[in-house]
Amino acid sequence: MSPSYDLPALDQDSFRPPDLERLFPAERSAHPPRILLLYGSLRERSYSRLLTEEAARLLQAMGAETRIFDPKDLPLPDGAPEEHPKVQELRSLAQWSEGMVWTSPERHGAMSGILKSQIDWIPLAAGSVRPTQGKTLAVMQVSGGSQSFNAVNQLRVLGRWMRMLTIPNQSSVAKAFLEFEEDGRMKTSSYYERVVDVMEELVKFTLLTRDCAPYLVDRYSERRESAEELSKRVNLRSI
């Protein structure tokens, strides 16, 4: 007989104790982890882009399939219809991915507007589905001066808001102009080693969680809502 608890406020029909079979499914995906990488600068020699490209090479070496989104020509949020080709490209990649890497330069102590615009164009919900919910996330930043963590800290807040599983490790590359060769490749350094650590951790977390991601973020409160009610609550267009 299952134990009895005095929980009068609990909706017993919506309550679900953790299910080990759903946490550890017998059938596991065999395809390469799908990782989308976003960067936050349009400069010709963009260090956030160079760091992103280095990260993509590492991810590929670890067996992942990668896509890098080029933010050039992406309109400002609400500055164009959702049918804009760049918006649709970004949203399609967000749906495709199982994990993401967000890399931003630190500007005036914060992430760049270019990266924030990309995140703002990814909807919190498409109907009742959250495109980023349960997906893994790694955050990185580059700085022109001494090492800082302002941008990655902000990116972590955004990852939580988008209901992503942000990995513990992160990368902050100080004086980035000193860390790349003329051909754009990153030099051997402790900063490079940290990037390797972060990508390795991202792939592991993605492999570990992708088959149970929907279950990990399945919530009691939302099981009590209909899909229509949920869509109305999280859809920013209605605000």
Side-chain angles (χ1 to χ4, degrees):
M1 180 180 296
S2 60
S4 176
Y5 299 102
D6 183 20
L7 300 169
L10 187 69
D11 179 355
Q12 296 291 342
D13 291 334
S14 300
F15 180 63
R16 303 282 189 276
D19 185 341
L20 292 180
E21 290 187 0
R22 296 188 66 184
L23 281 172
F24 305 103
E27 295 186 9
R28 309 289 294 186
S29 298
H31 64 268
R34 299 191 295 259
I35 308 295
L36 170 63
L37 300 95
L38 308 179
Y39 61 91
S41 171
L42 299 178
R43 295 171 59 186
E44 183 176 351
R45 186 169 173 83
S46 162
Y47 293 107
S48 64
R49 176 177 56 80
L50 294 180
L51 184 58
T52 295
E53 291 172 348
E54 201 69 44
R57 296 183 189 101
L58 289 165
L59 289 167
Q60 292 164 13
M62 296 175 195
E65 182 180 358
T66 64
R67 299 282 188 276
I68 298 175
F69 177 74
D70 181 356
K72 184 180 179 181
D73 298 325
L74 180 72
L76 289 173
D78 302 325
E82 296 178 356
E83 293 74 24
H84 189 284
K86 291 296 289 188
V87 174
Q88 289 301 306
E89 178 189 353
L90 175 59
R91 292 186 171 187
S92 176
L93 288 171
Q95 291 275 15
W96 165 86
S97 69
E98 296 170 327
M100 295 190 191
V101 180
W102 296 348
T103 305
S104 179
E106 181 170 321
R107 292 181 177 171
H108 301 294
M111 78 178 76
S112 71
I114 293 167
L115 184 59
K116 183 61 163 58
S117 292
Q118 294 172 72
I119 298 169
D120 285 346
W121 269 120
I122 300 173
L124 283 175
S128 61
V129 178
R130 294 177 183 258
T132 55
Q133 178 166 286
K135 297 182 179 183
T136 53
L137 172 65
V139 295
M140 302 194 295
Q141 75 167 75
V142 293
S143 302
S146 59
Q147 191 172 43
S148 172
F149 301 95
N150 292 323
V152 288
N153 287 340
Q154 287 186 323
L155 292 172
R156 285 186 175 277
V157 171
L158 282 175
R160 185 211 61 79
W161 189 257
M162 303 296 281
R163 289 198 182 174
M164 303 182 78
L165 306 176
T166 309
I167 66 171
N169 215 339
Q170 62 187 23
S171 170
S172 174
V173 179
K175 297 182 180 179
F177 60 92
L178 297 176
E179 298 302 322
F180 292 87
E181 304 286 0
E182 283 301 313
D183 63 1
R185 298 305 302 269
M186 195 171 185
K187 299 176 182 178
T188 299
S189 68
S190 60
Y191 292 128
Y192 179 78
E193 290 175 357
R194 175 58 66 91
V195 176
V196 178
D197 289 346
V198 173
M199 294 307 110
E200 185 178 54
E201 192 170 287
L202 177 65
V203 171
K204 290 176 181 177
F205 271 80
T206 305
L207 289 170
L208 182 66
T209 62
R210 65 179 179 177
D211 291 310
C212 61
Y215 181 62
L216 287 173
V217 290
D218 180 44
R219 296 185 175 186
Y220 163 79
S221 60
E222 292 181 356
R223 289 196 294 272
R224 301 188 71 245
E225 287 184 300
S226 68
E228 181 179 0
E229 290 170 335
L230 176 59
S231 179
K232 288 179 180 178
R233 181 167 61 78
V234 302
N235 191 344
L236 292 179
R237 291 290 183 182
S238 65
I239 297 176

